[in-house]
Structures are given as C-alpha cells and as structure tokens.
Amino acid sequence: MATPRTDTASFHAYLTTLQYPRIVALCGAGLSASSGLPTFRGAGGYWRTHEATSLATPGAFLRDAGLVWQFYSYRRHMALTVKPNPAHYALAEFSRKVPGFQCFSQNVDGLHQRADHPRESLQLLHGTLFEVKCWSENCGYREENFTDPIVPALALPVDGKDPTATPDISDPKVPLARIPIESLPQCPRCKRNALRPGVVWFGEQLPMQVLMNVENYLNDLAGVDLILVIGTSAKVYPAAGYVQEARQRGAKVAVINMDANDVPAGGWEDGDWMFKGDAAVIVPELLR
Ligand code: BV8
C-alpha cells in the first residue's frame, strides 16, 4: 500500500497546478470537535447508555419519542452554546475564492451556516438539528427552528445545588424525565402528528436535492482534482462512498484527522496526503 505524504508544501504546490480547481471537502464530527461538540466515536459515541447512532433511527423515535427528543434537544442546546472554529471559517472563505469547491458535510450542528458558508457550496448530507418536520410525510410540514428548548417539557432539569449549572443529561447518572407524548413538539399544521428533528436517520434516504447536487458535481465531465476528508471516520454511507467516487474521477485524497489510523476505504494511493492533528488548526493552514 502507498504511503501518504504529510507535508503542506507539496499540497500547496499541487493546488497551484490547478487552473480551475474542482475540490470537495467531506466533513464529519471531527471538524466540530474543537468547537466543543463530542464526536460519535470515542467518548461522545455514547449518550447515556445508548450508542448515539442507535437513537438516530425512526424506530427509536417510535419506541420512545421522549428519549429521542431529549437526545436531540440536548444536542441542539450544545450546538447553540458553542461557536464555529477556524476550520469552519476557512472552508467558507475557500468557497468564496474557489468556484469549483463544494463542502459535503455530514454534520448537523449548524456551525457551517453560522460561519456564513455560502449555501450554494454547502451540501448538508444528513440535514440539520435546526430544522424540524412533521412525522407524517403526507403532511409535509417543516420549519427552521432555533428555539431552545423547543418546548417547555424539553427544558434541561435545573440542578438543585447550582441552578446556573446545566446538568449534563448525557450522563447516565443524571435522572432523565419521562415526557408524555402530548408535551413533545406537535405539528402545528396537521395537529395530528409529532414534529421530529429534520435530520436524516439511519435507514432514511438523504434529501433528494442534496443527492442530485452531489451526483451532478461528481459526475461533471471536468472530474474532481482533490477530496479533503476532514474529521470523519468515513463509515456511514453513502457519504463515505464519495471518497472512492471522487478518486475514480481523478481526485487525490487528503485526510485531515486526529487519528492517523483513519485510512480511507481502499487504503492509500500514490499522491495522497495524511495530515494528522486538529482540523481547526490544519484546515486553515491548508486552505490559506
Ligand atoms: C441510506 C444524522 C438508503 C443524525 C447521521 C451502503 C450504501 C447506502 C447505505 C448503507 C450502506 N451500508 C450501510 C448502509 C446503511 C447506513 C449506514 O451507512 N450504516 C453504517 C453504520 C454502516 N446508511 C444509512 O442508513 C443512510 N441512508 O443509505 O438510505 C435508502 C435509499 C432509498 C430509500 C431509503 C433508504 C443514512 C445515514 C445517515 C445517518 N445519520 N447523522 C444525527 O446526527 O443524529 S450519521 C452520523 O454519524 C453523522 O452524520 C455522521 O455521518 C456519522 C458519524 O460519523 P463521523 O462524522 O465520521 O463521526 P465519528 O465520530 O465517527 O468520527 C469522528 C472522526 O473525527 C474520527 O475519525 C476522529 O478520529 C476524528 N477527529 C476527532 N477529533 C478531531 C478529529 N479529526 C480532526 N480534528 C479533530 N479535532
């Protein structure tokens, strides 16, 4: 298997050879780690006693909408209390400089948007925590919503000892309220169904428009020059598959990851780069 380069000089030299750069960034939870949001693997991989991804399914919502809404309400709250980091701003700035750049993000935390990333070059593969929609596809109601908590019943419990502290309800030792279904967000249009988080759950198709935008970009006859794989374990499909798809269209691969062992599916190829470290530090350096 080839050995990836690790120097930014050869990376920047490659960029200068691109007359009309066509570059993709595939982003994951590691991009927001430095902003203070937990990733899905490692410590953040569990929410209380639940593997985080086991709560990101329609079945989990049907089984216990109160638990799933507390999971999402907590993540909405966390995302609103942190800020975009230099990597989010560097990606947004690069978008404004390079027309052929696209950011395919798996992140639902809203930090790209708060870094003013131009919307035409941001594909939210898995939706966003800050959109809610009716459970019923027939109703089709959806709205952008930043209210925290979205309903009073989802307010974080006040810690008796220190009312100013926000109890960490991701800690299994902190008791979790049982919330009656009628106190959860309800659809204001049909008034018959629950509102659910506007994210893509496992087993759900990615948004059609996003899929079309991604496929149109990857299938453009101009090919792809480079894919940056930023802070993702690249295990969730179809997102993870975009690395190979870009490679098949001529792209070199540059991985930016804290863990040097997070190797792209299919392994390294000649001309790849591996930049080990914090995306918040490395990405601005690479895109300067
Ligand atoms: C679908 C939203 C079909 C919700 C999420 C093949 C093809 C198609 C589908 C499948 C397939 N094989 C399997 C499937 C099914 C499934 C899947 O992929 N399963 C996996 C587990 C194998 N895929 C689906 O279900 C998808 N739907 O395909 O539908 C279909 C077609 C037609 C009709 C109906 C259906 C939908 C998947 C979307 C799931 N939703 N999120 C929510 O967030 O609650 S996924 C969620 O988990 C994230 O969005 C993200 O994608 C994933 C977590 O991954 P990462 O972001 O990479 O985070 P992770 O913690 O794993 O890694 C962090 C990395 O950062 C690490 O490498 C770490 O080292 C690094 N790091 C840490 N700190 C830093 C850092 N790096 C840099 N700097 C740092 N500071």
Side-chain angles (χ1 to χ4, degrees):
M1 178 157 83
T3 304
R5 292 174 286 182
T6 57
D7 66 300
T8 54
S10 62
F11 179 87
H12 287 137
Y14 176 61
L15 290 191
T16 59
T17 66
L18 304 176
Q19 195 177 4
Y20 302 104
R22 286 179 55 79
I23 299 172
V24 187
L26 177 68
C27 302
L31 172 69
S32 299
S34 263
S35 293
L37 294 182
T39 63
F40 289 80
R41 288 190 356 182
Y46 274 75
W47 192 78
R48 300 179 70 84
T49 57
H50 308 274
E51 192 177 346
T53 51
S54 70
L55 296 172
T57 73
F61 193 76
L62 280 172
R63 279 191 302 278
D64 191 343
L67 172 69
V68 172
W69 254 121
Q70 290 185 80
F71 172 56
Y72 281 97
S73 183
Y74 175 78
R75 288 173 64 198
R76 285 163 54 99
H77 177 76
M78 291 289 286
L80 289 172
T81 52
V82 301
K83 290 185 174 47
N85 66 55
H88 294 103
Y89 288 106
L91 288 163
E93 187 49 37
F94 196 69
S95 275
R96 284 185 277 272
K97 281 191 312 188
V98 178
F101 175 71
Q102 276 286 321
C103 182
F104 297 170
S105 188
Q106 301 169 93
N107 294 344
V108 297
D109 55 33
L111 293 182
H112 291 291
Q113 298 91 310
R114 285 172 54 199
D116 292 331
H117 194 113
R119 299 310 299 268
E120 63 277 11
S121 67
L122 176 63
Q123 305 305 326
L124 297 174
L125 303 174
H126 297 157
T128 167
L129 291 169
F130 300 103
E131 192 174 82
V132 290
K133 63 182 186 179
C134 185
W135 171 260
S136 160
E137 294 287 345
N138 296 334
C139 168
Y141 177 82
R142 64 175 51 228
E143 65 166 5
E144 208 173 46
N145 179 295
F146 294 89
T147 311
D148 179 30
I150 186 168
V151 289
L154 288 168
L156 290 169
V158 175
D159 180 338
K161 295 189 290 300
D162 175 3
T164 60
T166 303
D168 174 6
I169 64 167
S170 70
D171 176 352
K173 293 192 290 300
V174 174
L176 205 55
R178 292 294 308 165
I179 300 177
I181 194 95
E182 57 274 10
S183 301
L184 292 174
Q186 301 296 318
C187 178
R189 181 188 291 171
C190 69
K191 301 188 187 332
R192 278 200 310 276
N193 290 287
L195 282 183
R196 52 159 285 186
V199 297
V200 179
W201 278 332
F202 287 97
E204 293 186 322
Q205 189 164 27
L206 276 56
M208 277 317 288
Q209 188 56 58
V210 167
L211 283 173
M212 280 168 54
N213 294 345
V214 166
E215 290 311 315
N216 288 343
Y217 183 87
L218 292 175
N219 293 333
D220 189 298
L221 294 178
V224 182
D225 299 308
L226 172 67
I227 182 164
L228 305 166
V229 185
I230 304 173
T232 179
S233 58
K235 289 186 170 42
V236 173
Y237 289 81
Y242 296 148
V243 180
Q244 274 311 94
E245 286 196 44
R247 210 198 264 290
Q248 284 156 9
R249 289 160 178 81
K252 293 185 183 304
V253 174
V255 173
I256 296 96
N257 201 303
M258 268 302 195
D259 181 347
N261 300 316
D262 264 334
V263 178
W268 297 113
E269 292 189 15
D270 286 339
D272 288 349
W273 288 273
M274 168 67 209
F275 296 106
K276 180 182 182 317
D278 180 2
V281 172
I282 294 172
V283 170
E285 166 57 20
L286 292 180
L287 301 185
R288 65 175 162 72

